[in-house]
Amino acid sequence: MSLKEAWVCLKEWSREMVTTALENGADALVIPAGWQERVKALGRITTVSDDGDLKPGQDVFFESLHSSEDEERIGRLLPLGPVALEDEIPERDDGTGPGIRQRSWEVIPLENLLARNGRIFVPVHSTEEVDLALGILERGVAGVVIYAETPRELRTLVKRVKSAAPSEALQIAVIESIRPAGLGDRVCVDTCTLMQEGEGLLVGSSSSFFFLVQAEAKTNPYVAPRPFRVNAGAVYAYVKVPEGRTRYLSELASGDPVLVVRADGATQVATVGRLKIERRPLLLVEAACGEMRGSILLQNAETIRLSNPEGKALSIVELKPGDAILAAVEKSGRHFGIQVEETIGSHRHPRQPGT
């Protein structure tokens, strides 16, 4: 699942609703013409209106989806830009009380359109609709247009969209060896997110075997906790980022997204604040999960911790062969950080004379 966008539709001016959208990370506001100056005075955000940053009918298309003819028309528009479905179905009054709002879109037509790889946005009014929209064909729509009545409701829905990320299938691996590996440049990733014990980054020497390296969230007698930091490993190592991709630790930069992973596999996206690259003594840690083997080079320090199967922090200085840890293991390789089905391996060959 890729990162999803949260657009917010406002039909009546409310400074509080605009600031709630801004403070909770909404990506765009769908607003009437004439609001542009007032919105921009409160903060930077993309506006969708006749006089906004994105203009309906030109940069984005608002369309109905109630028939096969609608589906075909939208299909022809997808190469031209994003398509947002209109929120058109009124409340149903069955005579038994207050009207019941019906969802204005159906899953099957959306599946057909998503198969064309276009950017589709759907209207949502509840967390249930958010979850359904973001789970269609397992990858979901590009984003949602949120219709909320109160700031509290708006905050809940935006956060639901922004926290949506696929879980990681963590497995139990067993430590095979730990040994000194000399000096090397290691990377501390300082994020804009406070993590807890059991949370960290997936890092590894190969793109098929990642260790869950925990944040420095645990209290210890030597230094104060830094729950925003993961002392993640040597500069060459891979780290998992959103959209199923990987990056080298050394190429991360301020503002880049990384994938924070919890011991139960739940994930969230965090923003990199800075990197600290310093020369430190390293340890080579090797582990096995079934027939798969992987390694990681980590700083030789008590505050660097892997995760045991229960999510408890396991300091690298206390690590020993036979210990169980959490890892993410993949069978396919990667090309420029994207997962591909091909033979890409990391093998240790016996040293040959003269090499």
Side-chain angles (χ1 to χ4, degrees), residues 7-234:
W7 293 10
V8 176
C9 183
L10 297 178
K11 297 180 179 179
E12 296 182 0
W13 174 256
S14 167
R15 181 188 178 95
E16 189 176 5
M17 291 290 275
V18 173
T19 55
T20 298
L22 285 164
E23 290 172 356
N24 288 277
D27 298 284
L29 288 177
V30 183
I31 55 174
W35 287 16
Q36 179 85 343
E37 187 175 338
R38 282 192 287 179
V39 167
K40 297 295 186 180
L42 297 175
R44 288 179 177 269
I45 191 169
T46 299
T47 55
V48 184
S49 68
D50 290 339
D51 58 352
D53 302 310
L54 299 178
K55 295 177 172 53
Q58 178 178 322
D59 304 303
V60 58
F61 303 92
F62 286 83
E63 300 291 330
S64 301
L65 179 56
H66 301 305
S67 67
S68 57
E69 290 78 13
D70 292 340
E71 186 180 320
E72 286 303 315
R73 184 185 69 257
I74 292 173
R76 292 191 294 271
L77 290 171
L78 288 177
L80 304 179
V83 173
L85 300 188
E86 298 277 12
D87 186 51
E88 296 178 320
I89 296 183
E91 294 183 345
R92 172 173 57 85
D93 186 359
D94 57 8
T96 61
I100 302 172
R101 204 200 68 81
Q102 302 177 75
R103 194 173 67 240
S104 59
W105 45 271
E106 298 297 334
V107 171
I108 298 301
L110 279 174
E111 287 182 343
N112 297 337
L113 291 170
L114 285 176
R116 304 189 188 198
N117 295 318
R119 295 186 64 219
I120 299 176
F121 290 75
V122 299
V124 295
H125 297 252
S126 66
T127 55
E128 290 78 13
E129 289 184 348
V130 169
D131 293 344
L132 180 60
L134 300 187
I136 296 173
L137 287 184
E138 297 186 1
R139 57 192 173 96
V141 295
V144 298
V145 181
I146 294 171
Y147 291 79
E149 299 293 331
T150 65
R152 180 178 180 180
E153 185 179 315
L154 176 57
R155 186 179 303 112
T156 298
L157 294 177
V158 174
K159 285 185 175 181
R160 190 71 161 214
V161 178
K162 289 304 175 182
S163 66
S167 62
E168 286 286 337
L170 299 181
Q171 302 179 53
I172 296 175
V174 177
I175 297 296
E176 290 192 324
S177 67
I178 314 102
R179 62 179 185 271
L183 293 174
D185 294 325
R186 67 92 175 103
V187 181
C188 283
V189 182
D190 288 354
T191 73
C192 300
T193 296
L194 295 176
M195 291 170 271
Q196 301 177 348
E197 183 175 355
E199 292 183 310
L201 302 179
L202 289 175
V203 186
S205 296
S206 79
S207 61
S208 58
F209 200 113
F210 297 87
F211 296 73
L212 179 55
V213 184
Q214 291 202 14
E216 296 185 6
K218 188 173 181 178
T219 302
N220 69 82
Y222 308 108
V223 296
R226 295 179 176 88
F228 54 83
R229 172 177 295 173
V230 179
N231 191 327

